[in-house]
Amino acid sequence: MVCLNNMPREYRIRFLPIDRVAPAAEGDNLLEIAMKAGVHINASCGGNGACGKCKVRIAEGSVASSPHRCLSDDEYGKGFRLACSSTVNAGAVVEIPLESQVDRSILRKPAIRDDADAAALIEGSIRDNAFEPLVVKHYLELPGPNPNDNVSDAARLARGFVPGKDGSEMAVPLEVLGDLGKKLRDAHWKVTVTAASNERFREAVLVEEGNRERVHYALAVDVGTTTVCAQLIDCGRGNSGDVKGAPSGNPPVIAESADYNGQISYGEDVISRIMYSRKKGGLKRLQDIVVSTMNRLIEDLIGSACVDAADISHVVVAGNTTMMHLLFGIDPKHIMLAPYTPLATAFAPVSSRRIGLKLGGHARLYTVPGVASYVGGDIVSGVALSGMTSRDEVSLFMDIGTNGEIVLGNSQWLLCASCSAGPAFEGGGIQFGMRAAPGAIEKVRINPANLEPMMITVDRAKPLGICGSGLIDIVAELFMAGAIDQNGKFAEKRSSPRIRKGVSGYEYVLCFAAETKIDKDIVITEVDLDNIMRTKAAVYAGCKVLLENGSLAFPDLGMVIIAGGFGHSIDIEKAVAIGLLPEIPVERFRFLGNGSLGGARMAAVSRSFFEKTGVIARSMTNIELSNNTQFMDEFMAAMFLPHTDEKAFPEVMRVLKTGYRS
Amino acid sequence: MAFEIPKIKYTGRIREVEIGAGQKALKVGGATCYPFYRFEGDMPNVPKVAFEVWDSPPDEWQQWAVEPYRDVLGDPVAWAKKCIDAYGAEMIVLQLRSADPNGENRATEEVVEVVKKVADAIDVPLLVWGTANDDKDSELLRMVAEVCESKNVAVGPVSEKNYKQIGAMAIGYGQVVMASSPIDVNLAKQLNILLGNLGVNEEKIIIDPTTGGLGYGLEYTYSVMERDRMAALTQEDAKLQFPIICNIAPEVWKTRETRLTREEDPKLGDEKRRSVLMEAITAMTLLVAGADIVVMRHPDSVSLVRDMIGELCA
């Protein structure tokens, strides 16, 4: 029940002189409100109060803000505040001082879509897939044996078990038979049987005394190259009442945790991990490390949810093909050798103890199947979750991580490819690149008149570096401001104290050393720009080749689904401006978030969803791009801002040529 | 019903670019059809052969290449004049070989002096070809553009690395630029866009797609030029609708097959005839692919190529 008194109060903040009103809730940060509303305020420290540039004057109303060393008493008295250190506590009229003002015509609201997308996207998946966990728990009150009914204990147990919807019967394996007789009799024939689903039948994995139906948990794990994310799901709640209706739509997540994949110390990308696995003992070590990362997460989850590890009935993992090889301890060598054949892409369910997970012996480990060496179960999981395979309109699914996997298709067909995009958007190969962690510059606007930046960091911590969304913003803003040319090189004619010649060519200074946490100027160099260009070109080119293989073009797409952690905060309009994303109506883009984890979660509570991932994996046609001449050609064409084919980006070109005006 | 030959539907036209000034100025480009497809469109300016002249005496030329120019190799002005007077050259390409930093590395001022002398001495269009070293050319071709003011010369190769410096001077002194990209249709287009953004007039750009000689990558140049022309003429790709120049001579005459004598390898036959044919075949092939200017060395191969152009345009 929602207590209305606890809801933050809504206020209106009016920005002058551009006269734009933005809604705000009590406690919201003023700088963030301005960014969201497209109001430019100089801010070069990311919003942690170090640079003192985001000075504004509160003309009416009030904000909660303390005095600051950058504000004289006189200024404070006159109503000047630092926007980054001010939170809303009432309605207010905020004056932007002259030094921060930008021609209002260039102020546009960022086209950021949020997680609301994800909920709407997966609604279909939830609706279409009945709540039936991969492992079920049923409480049985069996009639005891008598002279007229003396079938075996095992047959009695199986007989009492409600067959699955498909009529599948339950088998009782040797492991369970061991103490079955005593258990049944001790429990007076009132037991809860835990049954795992296999391909064709269910198999009893545990028999417990009494009614344990409600004590039934599952884990969903996304085993990423960089991060491992896990969720603990309560499957027992779904058991009460209507079997079909999962409570409140989504599978009930009761705890969530994430950590870096411990394998990171042995290489940042899959290729270096494969290289390491070829050393003596390397494969075993990598397996042990990722398993211990998972065990740490499990401990964390059961601790915070107060759940007994023995009550976890099953685990569903999704990850790229290399991660799955390493998790199961099988040799991934051929993944990196032409013609890139994995040992396996699908794995039969096994006991989770087989790989060393600290769970009960009965806990089953299920794996979302993959497609090929560079299109793994993480992608299949996301595609299944996104519901694109149940729609007739064609969708494009993109996961912009290190590899940049893309999937095109609809209810009838699916094409996929991996376009070795490089890690630029994860911060790799960028001098001050970093992942989206506290201190990462994630949103940037640049005043085209004087190239002064406005930026916000994750958690508004002192800047440490730049993450993917920040990089996209910077390139787009510098490009639209005319500070870089269409070939991604700095235009020398722009003179600004922020553009200078550094050790690796020209560079743009985003933050001066004093404003950062690293005591170094945070810059973006021409080499960085090159790397970003290559990454964005690979992604766009891969999409283009897939589309052409399907005899389609970007405008034919009903939906573009962006998955991956990276996809949370990217500003679509900026990504289009640099030609990373195609120029199609902005409302066709959707953010899925971590589709790999979401799909694993759905699979854990829906056998039909899990089976669907198998169907999807088998029906995807993989297009190999590494030796594809068309891809190389499209790649060269995309190595330009926004693209060599200007006709594909008419709006970007129009804005570029005429300015934001008109 | 009579059979009708299917025709390609063209939507674009190659821009006409004028090089040189005065009575002998020449236009190249202007086609509204694929090369020599005059039954489908118009080819108002037949493709041109430009004779190459080196700014300093070449020391590695084959005897059979030296032969026609033996008396003038030490004097670029006399060399250019001989090409015009004796061999009927309609265009001269002055190759600034002596400026190459990897070779003689002659000072820019001295090289430019030679350029000016040649430019003043001839009345046919002059094209000035630099060293293909981005930094040196940036300095050299800027000065060339300046000293050749009002002569409407073509300067190149202009690359993605030095287009700003050379392009700005070419705009200032009204010269034509030869935009050079490494055998790639997209890179060619990107450089043309960048030149356009810089303010270079669209009637002042010629494409140098980078030339491979027969047996040394000719097919790559051919495919790229073919795609350039398809994009320009049938896909309305305005940024590729420029005439194309192929600097053939230095590519062909440095190959092993034009250097070996009959004594060294009897299978290859007469060295002079062989070299002339290699140059002529390279030129003919690239003309069919869409070249508007071919830069050539030997008068005999030139005359074979002229025959071909004449016959195809009869």
Side-chain angles (χ1 to χ4, degrees):
Chain A
M1 178 140 140
V2 180
C3 175
L4 282 173
N5 292 334
N6 287 345
M7 290 282 281
R9 297 185 57 182
E10 286 281 335
Y11 294 109
R12 290 159 72 79
I13 307 293
R14 190 158 154 229
F15 292 97
L16 293 177
I18 73 156
D19 201 9
R20 182 168 289 169
V21 178
E26 182 152 353
D28 281 358
N29 179 279
L30 192 56
L31 188 64
E32 287 188 357
I33 297 167
M35 177 72 91
K36 221 183 224 169
V39 175
H40 184 95
I41 302 173
N42 289 347
S44 54
C45 67
N48 65 84
C51 74
K53 287 192 178 154
C54 56
K55 222 178 267 183
V56 295
R57 197 178 80 82
I58 308 302
E60 286 171 36
S62 74
V63 294
S65 183
S66 50
H68 188 273
R69 61 180 164 74
C70 295
L71 295 170
S72 66
D73 290 347
D74 182 43
E75 282 177 315
Y76 194 82
K78 285 181 176 156
F80 282 99
R81 301 289 183 270
L82 291 188
C84 73
S85 317
S86 303
T87 52
V88 170
N89 64 3
V93 176
V94 178
E95 263 180 29
I96 311 294
L98 206 58
E99 68 263 21
S100 271
Q101 283 173 25
V102 191
D103 193 326
R104 78 166 288 180
S105 53
I106 69 158
L107 299 172
R108 315 185 114 209
K109 287 194 182 178
I112 292 181
R113 308 183 61 96
D114 55 28
D115 295 346
D117 281 1
L121 263 183
I122 66 175
E123 205 175 275
S125 289
I126 293 167
R127 197 182 48 236
D128 298 345
N129 293 286
F131 182 89
E132 189 200 358
L134 279 169
V135 177
V136 291
K137 270 192 166 181
H138 284 268
Y139 172 62
L140 311 174
E141 291 184 1
L142 301 169
N146 62 58
N148 298 324
D149 177 17
N150 61 353
V151 298
S152 71
D153 288 356
R156 192 171 304 275
L157 187 69
R159 195 176 62 188
F161 181 77
V162 186
K165 261 200 315 209
D166 51 356
S168 58
E169 307 244 329
M170 183 176 69
V172 186
L174 208 50
E175 297 85 67
V176 175
L177 286 178
D179 58 353
L180 184 65
K182 184 170 185 313
K183 253 189 193 166
L184 288 173
R185 285 167 185 83
D186 285 355
H188 307 289
W189 304 94
K190 294 188 171 74
V191 292
T192 301
V193 62
T194 302
S197 50
N198 285 344
E199 194 96 20
R200 260 176 267 288
F201 57 96
R202 287 208 177 249
E203 186 181 344
V205 290
L206 181 70
V207 175
E208 297 166 281
E209 205 176 312
N211 188 345
R212 305 276 294 163
E213 270 189 350
R214 299 291 294 269
V215 194
H216 180 24
Y217 302 94
L219 285 168
V221 186
D222 163 40
V223 182
T225 311
T226 311
T227 314
V228 181
C229 306
Q231 288 179 335
L232 181 63
I233 303 149
D234 185 351
C235 300
R237 268 195 260 170
N239 269 354
S240 57
D242 182 11
V243 262
K244 227 185 148 179
S248 68
N250 228 340
V253 177
I254 52 172
E256 187 167 346
S257 190
D259 196 358
Y260 281 105
N261 183 335
Q263 292 174 347
I264 270 188
S265 329
Y266 300 86
E268 291 199 353
D269 52 37
V270 295
I271 297 300
S272 46
R273 303 271 171 89
I274 297 174
M275 299 292 282
Y276 187 84
S277 76
R278 299 179 70 179
K279 293 186 179 166
K280 192 161 181 285
L283 183 58
K284 181 78 176 73
R285 174 163 303 156
L286 290 178
Q287 183 189 24
D288 289 348
I289 286 169
V290 70
V291 168
S292 68
T293 299
M294 287 172 71
N295 279 332
R296 209 160 47 241
L297 290 176
I298 291 171
E299 245 172 70
D300 195 23
L301 292 175
I302 59 177
S304 67
C306 299
V307 164
D308 189 343
D311 293 328
I312 293 175
S313 312
H314 58 294
V315 183
V316 181
V317 294
N320 67 52
T321 305
T322 304
M323 286 307 114
M324 290 302 104
H325 278 59
L326 296 177
L327 182 65
F328 286 106
I330 58 173
D331 185 5
K333 151 171 103 179
H334 292 283
I335 288 177
M336 65 172 204
L337 302 174
Y340 317 111
T341 45
L343 209 58
T345 52
F347 302 88
V350 294
S351 161
S352 60
R353 281 213 184 142
R354 275 283 290 278
I355 62 161
L357 291 182
K358 289 183 185 156
L359 294 173
H362 69 283
R364 283 290 164 114
L365 176 68
Y366 292 85
T367 311
V368 178
V371 181
S373 276
Y374 295 101
V375 180
D378 48 346
I379 302 305
V380 171
S381 187
V383 165
L385 183 71
S386 76
M388 65 187 275
T389 55
S390 7
R391 288 187 288 269
D392 289 333
E393 61 168 25
V394 177
S395 307
L396 179 67
F397 176 98
M398 327 170 65
D399 188 332
I400 311 171
T402 313
N403 260 322
E405 295 99 337
I406 44 182
V407 181
L408 177 74
N410 64 2
S411 53
Q412 306 286 314
W413 52 273
L414 291 166
L415 291 177
C416 65
S418 167
C419 43
S420 56
F425 290 133
E426 294 184 322
I430 305 293
Q431 197 177 341
F432 290 96
M434 65 179 287
R435 296 173 41 75
I441 296 166
E442 60 167 346
K443 290 192 194 93
V444 181
R445 291 293 175 272
I446 292 168
N447 183 343
N450 57 11
L451 303 185
E452 276 300 307
M454 169 192 196
M455 70 185 81
I456 286 184
T457 56
V458 176
D459 291 353
R460 292 200 311 282
K462 252 189 160 184
L464 274 174
I466 316 164
C467 68
S469 58
L471 290 169
I472 292 172
D473 277 5
I474 293 166
V475 178
E477 290 281 292
L478 286 174
F479 173 51
M480 296 316 265
I484 54 178
D485 288 327
Q486 284 185 270
N487 57 350
K489 302 273 184 279
F490 281 101
E492 286 149 38
K493 61 189 168 197
R494 280 306 291 261
S495 68
S496 152
R498 289 188 176 267
I499 294 187
R500 66 186 186 195
K501 194 143 194 169
V503 274
S504 41
Y506 284 93
E507 59 191 28
Y508 172 80
V509 185
L510 208 55
C511 315
F512 289 103
E515 300 153 356
T516 71
K517 200 177 177 178
I518 50 175
D519 290 326
K520 268 188 282 187
D521 293 354
I522 293 181
V523 300
I524 183 127
T525 68
E526 253 174 22
V527 176
D528 296 340
L529 292 175
D530 269 356
N531 283 329
I532 296 168
M533 293 278 279
R534 271 196 285 277
T535 298
K536 76 103 184 170
V539 172
Y540 188 87
C543 296
K544 193 84 192 295
V545 171
L546 268 200
L547 282 164
E548 278 177 24
N549 271 283
S551 300
L552 293 170
F554 285 114
D556 298 324
L557 294 173
M559 208 182 268
V560 175
I561 300 153
I562 300 169
F566 166 83
H568 276 291
S569 58
I570 113 173
D571 184 335
I572 296 292
E573 198 177 288
K574 303 297 169 196
V576 171
I578 68 166
L580 167 66
L581 298 177
E583 191 179 305
I584 56 174
V586 74
E587 62 275 10
R588 294 196 201 167
F589 291 96
R590 297 280 193 288
F591 285 123
L592 183 63
N594 188 340
S596 172
L597 182 64
R601 182 178 67 228
M602 281 297 293
V605 297
S606 169
R607 184 178 174 179
S608 68
F609 182 89
F610 182 70
E611 280 163 2
K612 191 167 105 180
T613 63
V615 173
I616 288 172
R618 283 191 296 276
S619 56
M620 269 196 213
T621 307
N622 184 42
I623 309 264
E624 185 58 49
L625 295 181
S626 62
N627 54 0
N628 185 311
T629 51
Q630 192 195 355
F631 176 69
M632 276 320 292
D633 196 49
E634 287 294 346
F635 176 75
M636 291 313 290
M639 281 286 284
F640 210 54
L641 293 174
H643 193 272
T644 309
D645 181 11
E646 299 182 350
K647 280 179 251 167
F649 291 86
E651 180 58 20
V652 176
M653 292 314 294
R654 190 190 67 76
V655 172
L656 192 64
K657 284 185 173 136
T658 61
Y660 287 98
R661 270 142 232 150
S662 91
Chain B
M1 204 169 76
F3 172 69
E4 212 173 292
I5 298 174
K7 282 189 178 179
I8 291 163
K9 192 167 164 0
Y10 296 102
T11 49
R13 174 176 187 267
I14 307 301
R15 289 168 200 285
E16 271 188 337
V17 174
E18 190 171 52
I19 315 173
Q23 289 209 313
K24 297 271 178 75
L26 281 176
K27 280 183 180 166
V28 291
T32 57
C33 59
Y34 286 149
F36 305 108
Y37 276 38
R38 297 190 309 139
F39 45 90
E40 288 185 343
D42 201 14
M43 216 176 150
N45 306 300
V46 297
K48 303 289 184 293
V49 175
F51 276 72
E52 67 164 350
V53 170
W54 286 30
D55 68 333
S56 66
D59 48 11
E60 286 179 346
W61 279 24
Q62 302 86 328
Q63 277 313 305
W64 51 98
V66 166
E67 203 175 35
Y69 306 106
R70 195 179 302 280
D71 51 335
V72 293
L73 285 178
D75 179 357
V77 172
W79 185 348
K81 279 186 175 293
K82 185 170 186 180
C83 290
I84 299 164
D85 300 337
Y87 305 124
E90 294 176 287
M91 265 182 196
I92 297 293
V93 169
L94 185 58
Q95 315 252 28
L96 306 182
R97 304 296 287 235
S98 70
D100 189 347
N102 298 321
E104 210 181 315
N105 199 14
R106 199 140 59 114
T108 303
E109 293 71 23
E110 283 176 56
V111 179
V112 171
E113 192 59 31
V114 176
V115 175
K116 186 162 168 39
K117 275 188 194 152
V118 174
D120 288 341
I122 62 173
D123 53 358
V124 302
L126 177 67
L127 299 86
V128 183
W129 202 278
T131 62
N133 176 296
D134 292 327
D135 295 334
K136 182 80 179 216
D137 281 352
S138 162
E139 176 187 316
L140 190 60
L141 297 178
R142 275 156 73 188
M143 285 188 70
V144 168
E146 189 179 343
V147 300
C148 294
E149 186 174 6
S150 81
K151 294 197 190 300
N152 195 25
V153 300
V155 294
V158 172
S159 78
E160 196 225 343
K161 294 270 185 325
N162 59 20
Y163 77 95
K164 280 185 190 163
Q165 295 84 353
I166 303 173
M169 289 300 271
I171 298 168
Y173 294 96
Q175 319 292 20
V176 174
V177 294
M178 296 183 277
S180 177
S181 47
I183 319 198
D184 185 285
V185 59
N186 285 303
L187 293 178
K189 190 174 161 185
Q190 288 169 11
L191 183 54
N192 295 341
I193 294 172
L194 293 171
L195 285 166
N197 291 350
L198 192 67
V200 175
N201 192 303
E202 286 174 329
E203 269 66 47
K204 294 283 187 187
I205 296 175
I206 295 176
I207 296 173
D208 162 29
T210 303
T211 304
L214 176 61
Y216 290 83
L218 175 67
E219 64 276 28
Y220 290 103
T221 307
Y222 188 99
S223 305
V224 164
M225 287 171 60
E226 210 178 20
R227 287 190 53 198
D228 281 346
R229 281 298 166 259
M230 284 158 74
L233 292 166
T234 62
Q235 293 152 25
E236 294 156 83
D237 206 330
K239 294 298 182 187
L240 285 169
Q241 292 167 343
F242 300 101
I244 295 176
I245 184 168
C246 292
N247 193 4
I248 290 166
E251 295 302 320
V252 170
W253 289 91
K254 75 180 177 195
T255 64
R256 184 171 169 273
E257 289 75 9
T258 58
R259 295 197 162 273
L260 286 179
T261 60
R262 188 204 288 267
E263 284 77 55
E264 286 165 315
D265 189 347
K267 289 194 302 293
L268 292 176
D270 179 64
E271 58 269 7
K272 178 187 164 189
R273 186 180 152 76
R274 187 200 321 138
S275 305
V276 163
L277 283 174
M278 287 204 41
E279 184 174 32
I281 288 167
T282 303
M284 287 173 175
T285 309
L286 294 177
L287 284 166
V288 169
D292 294 277
I293 303 171
V294 284
V295 181
M296 301 183 66
R297 179 171 299 174
H298 204 285
D300 291 359
S301 25
V302 171
S303 100
L304 284 171
V305 169
R306 280 183 179 151
D307 284 353
M308 169 199 162
I309 296 173
E311 279 173 32
L312 287 175
C313 293

